[in-house]
């Protein structure tokens, strides 16, 4: 069967028209002695070939069939890759054996709906191996070899592989027929072979329909590939391929084909020549830039590194996602820039993310970290595959559910040369940016990545540092705040946590750790430290000037457009605590003096400072009337506590000369004997009125 996808795609489109217009739905006989055309309504099955063995550059082989009830016919004359597996179709063509040729005059194909296959694969599934032979064609298989190969306890068996990779979610049981004699189709006619094999199995007492899937093992398929599988169907084919546990490629083919039956497509590679990715390359991913089996680290890819190690690589993350084999907490949809840590994809008991999913329009980028664990143990021999992270891209609009591996060290467009993808993973220190500039991924090593999403980025700067209280006293705790501004072009996302550290001589004394956003470009917010060695406050021990540095995002959680402008240095003056004296009231006796009275003044002295006055130390209060001294207090005082006051009376007196108003001025600490915060408030002026007799 020859294929020419591009011209057939055109043919398919043209052929749809008569059906839509005429609606001829029944078998019809064409004129001029043509055999009858048959119209069938059924479901598309894509039939995918196995990847070629190492060193072989055989092209990909993707076929299509239509299932009508229990009957399946291979479709000739169609663009198989354009027909989504699982979609309902109406086809009209000529039946030839186990095929329906749509490419004949009057042939039509009409897709009736979109129904991409959804892979489902949990629980116990059953597999019947139907072994057939014919004169001149026999198999290596014995029931014991085949049972060990498919279902045995050996780590290399197909069942062991699935149990391992699915973390126990899927297991295979089943049976094998003896070698059943059938007629050799002689050509690549998978459905003729399938029909004969199933008929022989039924005759031998087996019920193929009772199994989840069948695998037809024949001496030869006469096809380009060593195995085939229906995507989302139940038929698979291998070529004398179920006996040699020591052959990595042999195990790959069987493992790969029954994965098609689970609904999986191939794990592709995006071949963009000297580029990792480009918009043009992605647009052509269905055709010229598709390396059909390009993911070298996936049983649905070419598995060449596994083949040469007699190993079968595990599924990459997109396939595990399609199968539902990753718990939700292992999948992280990344919507905020920042640093993320990945656990190894193979580590099924890991907590935290094992795959990051980043979106750019309809495209999804999948980031995974692989380690030589379980079936991937062979990857230890390929250091680049385990030192970096693997990135694949998928267009969610595509009916092909598989993703395209990205080669982050592209060399050249070498069709069929999968070794170009051995070095596909992104190595530590390297960055991948998607063609739209929406997604940027930098590998940091050990499964850690720095991710930037949204195309532009926030940029955090500190505009000011403030203390509370404003005056910083030696020995007293002070709260530290920073005015944080987003100087970038993208918002700091809601939910993005970050730290702002306050450092003295390089050591943090306190820090803020919280979610300050969202913070739009240009917006500011003030954050206050709540944690640190002093419980979130800073207590300077001595007076002096301190260099304090505030650093936004000091532990690098936020991906910023500029990481170099995050710090602000300020000088903080720390003062020793002092009393602060003031006169809050002046009184006198007698309270209503007459001309000739002898008056004694008293001042109420308050301490509004932060330190007590020293008990017994000299404290002077001077009283003036109309500018002339009229006595003073000069005795030793008790200590006046902060907030406290003392009532101090003059030792001298004033003799009232006459009636009238007198200006009374009381000044505490007029001799500056007490060191205090401020002498500005040391004086109180009042008026004393002597009434006329
Ligand atoms: Zn395949």
């Amino acid at each position: 069967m020859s294929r020419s996808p591009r011209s057939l795609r055109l043919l398919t489109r043209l052929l749809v028209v008569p059906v839509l217009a005429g609606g001829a739905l029944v078998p019809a006989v064409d004129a001029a002695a043509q055999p009858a055309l048959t119209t069938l309504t059924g479901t598309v099955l894509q039939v995918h070939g196995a990847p070629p063995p190492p060193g072989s550059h055989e092209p990909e082989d993707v076929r299509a069939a239509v299932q009508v009830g229990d009957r399946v016919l291979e479709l000739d004359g169609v663009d198989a890759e354009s027909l989504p597996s699982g979609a309902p179709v109406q086809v009209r063509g000529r039946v030839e054996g186990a095929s329906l040729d749509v490419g004949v005059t009057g042939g039509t194909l009409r897709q009736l709906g979109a129904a991409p296959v959804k892979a489902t694969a949990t629980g116990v599934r059953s597999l019947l191996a139907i072994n057939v032979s014919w004169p001149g064609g026999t198999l290596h298989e014995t029931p014991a070899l085949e049972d060990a190969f498919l279902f045995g306890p050996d780590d290399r068996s197909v069942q062991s592989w699935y149990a391992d990779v699915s973390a126990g979610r899927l297991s295979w049981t089943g049976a094998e027929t003896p070698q059943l004699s059938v007629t050799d189709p002689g050509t690549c006619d998978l459905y003729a072979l399938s029909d004969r094999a199933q008929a022989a199995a039924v005759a031998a007492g087996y019920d193929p329909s009772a199994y989840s899937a069948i695998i037809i093992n024949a001496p030869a398929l006469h096809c380009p590939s060593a195995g085939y599988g229906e995507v989302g169907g139940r038929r698979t084919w291998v070529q004398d391929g179920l006996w040699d546990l020591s052959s990595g490629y042999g195990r790959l083919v069987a493992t790969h084909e029954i994965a098609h039956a689970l609904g999986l497509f191939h794990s592709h590679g995006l071949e963009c020549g000297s580029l990792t990715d480009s918009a043009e390359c992605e647009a052509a991913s269905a055709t010229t830039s598709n390396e059909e089996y390009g993911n070298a680290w996936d049983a649905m890819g070419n598995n060449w590194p596994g083949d040469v190690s007699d190993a079968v690589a595990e599924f990459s993350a997109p396939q595990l996602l399609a199968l539902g084999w990753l718990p939700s907490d292992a999948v992280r949809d990344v919507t905020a820039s920042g640093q993320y840590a990945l656990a190894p994809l193979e580590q099924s008991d890991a907590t935290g993310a094992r795959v990051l999913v980043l979106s750019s329009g309809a495209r999804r980028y999948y980031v995974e970290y692989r380690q030589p664990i379980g079936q991937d143990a062979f990857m230890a021999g390929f250091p680049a595959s385990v030192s970096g992270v693997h990135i694949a891209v998928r267009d969610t609009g595509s009916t092909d559910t598989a993703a395209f591996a990205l080669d982050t060290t592209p060399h050249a467009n070498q069709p069929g040369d999968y070794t170009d993808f051995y070095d596909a993973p992104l190595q530590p220190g390297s960055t991948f940016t998607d063609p739209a500039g929406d997604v940027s991924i930098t590998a940091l090593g050990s499964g850690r990545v720095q991710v930037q999403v949204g195309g532009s980025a926030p940029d955090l700067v500190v505009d000011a540092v403030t203390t509370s209280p404003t005056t910083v006293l030696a020995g007293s705790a002070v709260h530290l705040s920073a005015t944080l501004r987003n100087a970038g072009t993208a918002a700091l996302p809601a939910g993005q946590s970050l730290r702002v550290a306050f450092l003295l001589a390089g050591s943090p004394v306190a820090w803020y750790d919280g979610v300050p956003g969202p913070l739009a470009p240009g917006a500011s917010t003030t954050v206050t430290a709540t944690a640190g060695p002093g419980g979130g406050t800073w207590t300077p021990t001595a007076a002096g000037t301190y260099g304090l540095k505030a650093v936004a995002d000091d532990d690098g959680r936020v991906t910023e457009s500029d990481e170099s402008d995050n710090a602000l240095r300020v000088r903080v003056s720390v003062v020793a605590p002092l009393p602060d004296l003031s006169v809050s009231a002046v009184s006198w006796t007698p309270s209503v003096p007459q001309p000739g009275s002898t008056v004694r003044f008293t001042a109420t002295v308050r301490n509004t400072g932060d330190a007590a006055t020293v008990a017994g130390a000299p404290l002077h209060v001077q009283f003036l009337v109309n500018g002339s001294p009229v006595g003073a207090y000069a005795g030793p005082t008790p200590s006046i506590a902060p907030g406290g006051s003392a009532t101090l009376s003059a030792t001298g007196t004033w003799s009232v000369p006459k009636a009238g108003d007198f200006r009374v001025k009381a000044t505490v600490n007029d001799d500056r004997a007490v060191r205090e915060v401020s002498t500005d408030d040391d004086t109180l002026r009042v008026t004393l009125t002597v009434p006329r007799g």
Side-chain angles (χ1 to χ4, degrees):
M1 180 177 57
S2 66
R3 294 172 61 251
S4 175
R6 250 72 67 194
S7 59
L8 286 172
R9 190 191 298 272
L10 182 62
L11 178 63
T12 301
R13 290 216 180 97
L14 292 173
L15 287 171
V16 169
V17 177
V19 170
L20 291 171
L25 304 179
V26 294
V29 178
D30 281 5
Q34 290 287 334
L37 297 190
T38 301
T39 300
L40 300 169
T41 301
T43 305
V44 168
L45 287 169
Q46 279 192 0
V47 184
H48 286 201
S56 164
H57 288 178
E58 286 162 359
E60 66 198 68
D61 191 5
V62 174
R63 297 154 183 263
V66 60
Q67 172 149 13
V68 183
D70 290 339
R71 188 179 180 202
V72 184
L73 294 168
E74 185 163 343
L75 293 170
D76 289 344
V78 299
D79 176 5
E81 286 178 78
S82 73
L83 290 175
S85 216
V89 288
Q90 186 180 83
V91 287
R92 185 170 190 232
R94 184 179 302 132
V95 175
E96 294 167 352
S99 299
L100 180 75
D101 190 353
V102 180
V104 297
T105 304
T108 59
L109 184 149
R110 182 182 168 202
Q111 188 177 326
L112 302 175
V117 165
K118 182 173 177 355
T120 52
T122 55
V124 178
R125 292 173 83 90
S126 57
L127 178 69
L128 176 65
I130 305 176
N131 296 293
V132 299
S133 58
W134 45 69
T138 56
L139 302 171
H140 282 84
E141 280 73 3
T142 66
L145 281 175
E146 194 166 284
D147 199 63
F149 184 93
L150 289 173
F151 309 117
D154 191 293
D155 283 347
R156 298 169 298 174
S157 75
V158 171
Q159 149 61 15
S160 293
W161 189 93
Y162 274 94
D164 198 1
V165 176
S166 73
R169 289 176 176 81
L170 175 69
S171 60
W172 287 99
T173 61
E176 311 84 20
T177 73
Q179 292 190 26
L180 306 171
S181 185
V182 300
T183 304
D184 181 0
T187 62
C188 180
D189 193 340
L190 294 171
Y191 285 94
L193 177 60
S194 166
D195 290 346
R196 291 170 195 178
Q198 292 191 75
V202 169
Y206 295 88
D207 179 7
S209 68
Y211 292 81
S212 313
I214 59 174
I215 187 162
I216 295 156
N217 186 30
L221 299 179
H222 309 294
C223 295
S225 294
Y228 289 86
E230 294 174 340
V231 176
R234 47 188 302 281
R235 293 164 197 78
T236 63
W237 296 259
V238 296
Q239 186 166 273
D240 192 18
L242 303 178
W243 61 278
D244 187 1
L245 267 180
S246 68
S247 165
Y249 183 68
R251 279 148 43 216
L252 168 73
V253 173
T255 303
H256 176 110
E257 300 312 341
I258 61 176
H260 280 315
L262 298 175
L264 294 188
F265 290 78
H266 291 138
S267 291
H268 315 299
L270 194 66
E271 179 55 80
C272 308
S274 60
L275 300 174
T276 294
D277 196 359
S278 72
E280 296 74 20
C281 189
E282 288 193 356
S285 64
T287 52
T288 52
S289 54
N290 175 22
E291 193 69 84
E292 177 73 15
Y293 308 103
N295 191 328
W297 312 101
D298 188 320
M300 295 316 288
N302 66 67
N303 190 56
W304 277 9
D307 291 343
V308 298
S309 312
D310 279 324
V312 179
E314 302 202 2
F315 288 142
S316 60
Q319 303 288 20
L320 295 175
L321 284 168
L323 292 163
W325 287 359
L326 287 174
S328 57
D329 64 358
V331 185
R332 177 133 190 204
D333 284 310
V334 176
T335 55
S337 298
Q339 203 178 105
Y340 296 86
L342 281 163
L345 186 65
E346 303 88 347
Q347 196 181 327
S348 58
D349 61 351
T351 55
R354 284 187 277 151
V355 55
L356 303 179
V357 183
L358 298 92
S359 296
S360 172
R363 291 187 303 282
R364 299 290 177 271
Y365 290 88
Y366 303 90
V367 185
E368 68 191 52
Y369 175 52
R370 301 280 287 269
Q371 287 293 285
I373 297 170
Q375 302 288 335
D376 279 347
F378 76 95
M379 289 174 77
F382 301 87
S385 72
V386 293
S387 59
V389 292
H390 298 240
I391 305 174
V393 64
R394 175 171 184 263
D395 184 336
T396 54
S398 170
T399 55
D400 181 335
T401 58
F404 292 78
L406 297 180
D407 182 3
T408 65
T409 50
H411 302 308
N413 190 356
Q414 301 165 310
D417 186 355
Y418 303 130
T419 56
D420 197 17
F421 283 82
Y422 280 25
D423 55 6
L426 186 70
Q427 297 304 310
S430 297
T431 296
F432 163 76
T433 301
D434 81 307
D438 288 339
V439 164
S440 178
I441 302 160
T442 301
L444 303 175
S446 303
R448 289 177 303 112
V449 291
Q450 182 81 37
V451 166
Q452 185 180 311
V453 294
S456 50
D459 180 25
L460 298 170
V461 298
V462 177
D463 281 335
V465 172
T466 54
T467 61
S468 176
T470 311
T471 300
V472 183
L473 299 173
S476 294
V478 60
H479 292 279
L480 299 171
S481 298
T483 304
L484 194 63
R485 180 167 54 90
N486 179 4
T489 52
L492 179 73
Q496 170 72 56
S497 76
L498 60 83
R499 197 166 76 170
V500 178
F502 300 86
L503 301 98
L504 274 177
S507 296
V509 293
W511 56 82
Y512 162 86
D513 192 340
V515 179
L519 206 56
S524 292
T525 189
T526 298
V527 298
T528 300
T530 55
T537 57
W538 170 47
T539 305
T541 53
T545 300
Y546 290 77
L548 186 68
K549 185 163 85 164
V551 185
D553 191 36
D554 73 305
D555 57 354
R557 291 177 216 168
V558 182
T559 298
E560 302 178 56
S561 54
D562 185 350
E563 300 282 5
S564 68
D565 58 357
N566 290 23
L568 178 71
R569 288 171 190 279
V570 296
R571 300 177 82 78
V572 178
S573 290
V574 176
V575 295
L578 291 172
D580 191 8
L581 300 172
S582 62
V583 178
S584 61
V586 175
S587 62
W588 46 82
T589 54
S591 57
V592 185
Q594 303 297 318
S597 293
T598 298
V599 173
R600 185 181 302 278
F601 290 98
T602 297
T604 303
V605 173
R606 283 178 54 86
N607 179 3
T608 58
D610 300 292
T613 59
V614 178
L619 179 62
H620 200 262
V621 182
Q622 187 185 56
F623 299 90
L624 302 173
V625 173
N626 288 352
S628 298
V630 292
Y633 170 84
T637 57
S639 173
I640 307 173
S645 57
T647 304
L648 307 175
S649 298
T651 50
T653 58
W654 173 56
S655 182
V656 178
K658 59 179 182 179
D661 287 346
F662 298 88
R663 291 175 283 115
V664 178
K665 176 181 168 188
T667 302
V668 65
N669 198 26
D670 63 304
D671 60 355
R672 303 287 196 266
V674 177
R675 201 165 157 241
E676 62 169 315
V677 174
S678 168
T679 56
D680 293 348
D681 54 358
D682 287 4
T683 295
L684 183 68
R685 291 180 173 84
V686 297
T687 298
L688 186 158
T689 300
V690 178
R692 296 182 186 280

